[in-house]
Every structure is written in C-alpha cells, then in structure tokens.
Amino acid sequence: MISFFEHFFEIQKAVHQKIFSWIPFSSGDIFYILLGIILIYLIVKCFKKKTRNRSLLKLLVLFNCIYFIYQVCWGMLYFQTPIIKKLPAQNKPSIERAKTLALKYLEKCKATRKLVHEDHHGVFIITDLKSVQEEILFQQNRLPKNITHKEAPEINSFKPSLFRNIMSYTGILGYYNPFTAESQFNPQLPDTLIPFTSAHESSHQLGFAREQEANFIGYLIGTRSDNYDLRYSTEYFTLKSLLNFIADKDPEFVKGILNNYSPQMKKDRSYEKSFILKHQGWVDDFFGFTNNLFLQSNQQEGSITYSYFIDLLMNYEKD
C-alpha cells in the first residue's frame, strides 16, 4: 500500500506542478486563506441556534474531506522505508565523531564563505536566487541511487510565502503544500537560511516527508553543488546541527568552535541571532509547540531534535 501511495504521489505531484508552478504567487497560500474563511464562517454559524446542526455537519464533512485528501496526497509518505535502512552502516552517533565532523565543516564553511558575496555590513547575501533554485533542481537528479530513485521533474515551483510577516514570528522557515506541490519559503529570512531551506522544501517535493530526512536530502543537494551560495548555506546548517548535537555534552568544545568562526561567519551568525531575537515571543512558542505535536503525530521525533539527521549524516560520511 505504501508503494501504491508513493507512485500516486509522483502522478499527483506532476499534475499539480503543471497546474500551479507557472503562477507567480503561492496558490497554496490562497487555498489556505479561503479554507480559513470558510472554517471561520462555519464555526460562527455553529453558535447560531437555527443553523447549528447543519453548520456543524458541514464543518465535520469539510474536516474529513481535507484530512482524507491530505493523507492520500502526502500523509502516507511518512510510512516509507526510512533512509537510515538504506545506508550500509547503522552505528549510533558518537560525540567524538560529531566533533571530528564539526571541525571538518568549520573549515569547509570558512573556505566557501570567502567565495560568496556580502552586503556593505559584511553579511552574506544571495545575488541570484533563481540560479540557486535551478541548481537545487539540477542536483535532485544527481542524488545517490542507493538512497533514492524518486523522479525529479525539474519544474521550478519555489514560491515566497504570502504569510512571510507571520512566519518571521513563528520560527517557521518554509513549508511544503501537499495540495498544490509548491515549496514556500520566507523571503524575509537572513540569506544564510534561504538556500538550504529551499533545498529542504524541494526534498519534500521529491517525496521525502520526514523533516530530518528532508534535511539530509537537502544536505546531499547542497554539499555536492558548485553554486557557492547553496553550498555555504548547507555547510553552515550542517555545522550548526553538529554543534547543537554536541552542546549538551561538551559546551566548551562548542564555544571553541564558535570562537574559531572566521570574521565573516561571525557577522553572519550575529545577523541571524539579531533576526531571531527580534522576532521571538509567545507566537514563536505557540507555533513551536503545535509544530512539535504535528511532527510527533506523523511518525517523527519532533521539531527540536537533530538526532536522526545526525544519524544519517554520520553513517553517510562514514560510508
């Protein structure tokens, strides 16, 4: 049955991308806005005695229809064979191995950072976002065959989200819309986050539902790329993930790595931190909590863990 849904996903994705990819704005966001208006209308009707029963029935039917379409188009992909089982070695990640990789990716970040552009404040900027997106689509076809045989249609369906202002206060960097096969990203993010976020969301477009597996596929896309913007963003994400994994066990090592960031990387980190601090608040906490529940209800560990990505990274690097 899972194989059936994997094949069905390829068909519906191809159809949806042909229908929606050419539209310059996010059709999926318009769909969510209309759906939200309908839900609010029906909920208000439920409080009126004359229309209560009929409105409640319509509300339940709508919920069931949306949930059914979601499961058919996307939800069943959470039950695919995990990528970790496709890798030859399945050893638990060790702190020492993570430290070795952190040192490796620190040097990679330093080297790649010298090859990208920056603004007048010395902060990394993307000069050509479209070329980054095209490179992501190109690299999808070069993924290792022992990990995936999923079809890459090379259709550019990356869309800046219409909810960008809200997203900046929620901690959500991007999302995949299973109803329109579009990959949304927040264009207000620091540029260090946008390329890898796009690679991550494109991995969902390929059919990788689990968040940490999408991170891993995004890592494969970015680290193999000749596009320096994409490669730097990916290497920087990988380094931060390793440091987050190490932080509880050896905070002094993490401090040492941070102190050894290049001056350019320190400016990028400072800009990221200022962006996050500026947009923190109860909205961020609320969306973090609800997103964590959503991930756990879909066979995942939750939004705050990097352990599965680190598992994949270490086993792949060892291979």
Side-chain angles (χ1 to χ4, degrees), residues 65-292:
C65 288
I66 294 297
Y67 183 72
F68 175 77
I69 294 170
Y70 167 81
Q71 288 295 341
V72 169
C73 292
W74 183 246
M76 296 303 294
L77 296 183
Y78 286 107
F79 296 94
Q80 295 176 104
T81 302
I83 291 178
I84 193 71
K85 294 185 177 180
K86 300 178 182 179
L87 298 176
Q90 295 184 34
N91 301 318
K92 286 189 176 182
S94 67
I95 294 299
E96 293 308 312
R97 176 66 173 149
K99 289 180 180 179
T100 301
L101 287 175
L103 291 169
K104 173 183 175 179
Y105 277 94
L106 173 62
E107 296 307 314
K108 281 179 172 285
C109 282
K110 285 182 177 180
T112 310
R113 180 62 176 82
K114 295 176 182 179
L115 303 173
V116 298
H117 295 83
E118 53 188 41
D119 63 14
H120 61 283
H121 295 296
V123 177
F124 164 70
I125 56 169
I126 301 168
T127 54
D128 188 352
L129 182 57
K130 187 175 180 181
S131 68
V132 172
Q133 295 169 346
E134 290 174 350
E135 175 67 8
I136 290 170
L137 297 175
F138 173 72
Q139 289 296 333
Q140 285 180 345
N141 285 308
R142 300 179 65 190
L143 292 169
K145 296 303 179 185
N146 64 313
I147 292 176
T148 178
H149 289 280
K150 294 183 183 296
E151 298 179 20
E154 296 190 32
I155 297 176
N156 191 326
S157 193
F158 297 99
K159 305 286 182 70
S161 175
L162 300 181
F163 306 125
R164 63 194 68 180
N165 292 323
I166 298 173
M167 288 176 70
S168 295
Y169 288 93
T170 62
I172 298 173
L173 310 183
Y175 52 93
Y176 172 72
N177 192 312
F179 302 104
T180 58
E182 295 170 308
S183 289
Q184 278 80 14
F185 64 93
N186 178 6
Q188 295 181 352
L189 291 172
D191 281 10
T192 46
L193 299 174
I194 291 177
F196 181 77
T197 296
S198 300
H200 170 99
E201 299 307 331
S202 81
S203 303
H204 286 318
Q205 281 182 321
L206 274 178
F208 292 94
R210 297 183 182 94
E211 286 299 308
Q212 298 305 327
E213 290 190 348
N215 278 342
F216 180 65
I217 297 299
Y219 155 82
L220 293 177
I221 288 172
T223 53
R224 293 159 170 257
S225 174
D226 292 328
N227 182 291
Y228 297 130
D229 291 348
L230 176 58
R231 192 197 302 174
Y232 174 61
S233 179
T234 304
E235 291 171 349
Y236 191 49
F237 168 82
T238 305
L239 176 59
K240 288 188 294 183
S241 298
L242 287 163
L243 295 180
N244 283 330
F245 176 74
I246 298 167
D248 292 338
K249 289 85 174 178
D250 194 342
E252 291 304 314
F253 176 85
V254 173
K255 288 180 182 177
I257 292 289
L258 295 176
N259 288 333
N260 278 292
Y261 273 21
S262 68
Q264 298 92 340
M265 288 175 64
K266 287 180 179 178
K267 288 181 181 180
D268 296 341
R269 180 171 182 264
S270 177
Y271 184 72
E272 271 193 17
K273 286 179 66 178
S274 64
F275 178 86
I276 293 169
L277 290 171
K278 180 181 177 181
H279 295 93
Q280 275 184 338
W282 68 268
V283 177
D284 184 25
D285 295 336
F286 172 75
F287 274 88
F289 173 74
T290 54
N291 189 46
N292 202 52

Side-chain angles (χ1 to χ4, degrees), residues 29-45 59 62 163:
D29 287 351
I30 298 298
F31 168 76
Y32 284 146
I33 291 170
L34 293 175
L35 180 62
I37 292 171
I38 293 170
L39 288 174
I40 292 171
Y41 172 78
L42 290 175
I43 290 171
V44 171
K45 285 283 188 178
L59 189 63
L62 180 62
F163 306 125

